[in-house]
Amino acid sequence: MKLLKDGKLKVYDGYPHGMFTTHADVINADLLAFIKG
C-alpha cells in the first residue's frame, strides 16, 4: 500500500536534533519544494 504517490524519504545525515533551527535554510527550502509539489 502506498501512502503518498511519488513520495520520497529525505534523510539529513549528521544533522542535529534541532536541525529546524540550526539548518533552517536547508530544511525550509526542502519544505517549500514539497509544498509547491
Side-chain angles (χ1 to χ4, degrees):
M1 177 171 91
K2 285 188 173 187
L3 296 177
L4 183 63
K5 184 179 178 182
D6 300 323
K8 290 184 192 177
L9 172 63
K10 190 93 173 174
V11 178
Y12 300 93
D13 286 329
Y15 279 29
H17 179 73
M19 66 185 183
F20 292 102
T21 56
T22 60
H23 294 83
D25 53 337
V26 175
I27 304 300
N28 287 336
D30 288 345
L31 285 172
L32 184 59
F34 171 75
I35 291 168
K36 287 182 176 181

